[in-house]
Amino acid sequence: QVQLVESGGGLVQAGGSLRLSCAASGRLANSYFNSYSMGWFRQAPGKEREFVATIDWSGTTTYYADSVKGRFTISRDNARKTVYLQMNSLKPEDTAVYLCAADLHYGAGHSNRDGYDYWGPGTQVTVSS
């Protein structure tokens, strides 16, 4: 099993920054975290869960939603079994619950939410105008 726990959310003014972390634990994470794709998604009230960013198993390949490209950066530390999302120039429309996800079967990184096997409970990000 894999447990994912996000942290780092909060309330910030527009134009500000936050850094989210997602720590993985559990038997499968201890052995295989460095082979997983990891992704960040977000869900605002009344909206579907949408893709934000993904990173491949090695940390060398990343993809971003157009809405966050140039403002957000995803990274990972396999030794710490942690993935990060640095969010800069935040906008009110970035307000959502941010969730991290792990894909145990495909290591290249992708945006298909149905392909992820494990999810964290999420952390709230609120951007005030």
Side-chain angles (χ1 to χ4, degrees):
Q1 296 292 333
V2 176
Q3 290 79 44
L4 302 173
V5 178
E6 303 92 341
S7 61
L11 174 64
V12 63
Q13 288 189 332
S17 298
L18 284 174
R19 188 193 194 205
L20 305 184
S21 299
C22 172
S25 63
R27 180 178 59 85
L28 293 179
N30 290 340
S31 300
Y32 302 112
F33 180 82
N34 59 6
S35 65
Y36 301 165
S37 291
M38 296 295 296
W40 283 100
F41 292 75
R42 66 187 182 187
Q43 189 164 16
K47 294 188 177 181
E48 289 194 354
R49 188 170 298 182
E50 65 173 2
F51 167 74
V52 174
T54 185
I55 190 166
D56 77 331
W57 64 275
S58 69
T60 58
T61 302
T62 58
Y63 302 100
Y64 298 92
D66 288 343
S67 59
V68 307
K69 202 172 296 183
R71 300 187 297 123
F72 291 10
T73 302
I74 188 171
S75 61
R76 68 190 295 162
D77 183 337
N78 284 343
R80 297 180 185 273
K81 298 191 290 296
T82 301
V83 64
Y84 305 97
L85 186 68
Q86 178 67 43
M87 305 186 296
N88 299 328
S89 303
L90 283 161
K91 306 174 181 180
E93 51 264 43
D94 294 318
T95 295
V97 174
Y98 283 71
L99 308 99
C100 70
D103 183 344
L104 278 59
H105 301 96
Y106 186 68
H110 64 90
S111 61
N112 177 16
R113 67 184 184 190
D114 293 332
Y116 284 88
D117 303 294
Y118 292 95
W119 293 81
T123 185
Q124 177 70 46
V125 171
T126 303
V127 185
S128 62
S129 56

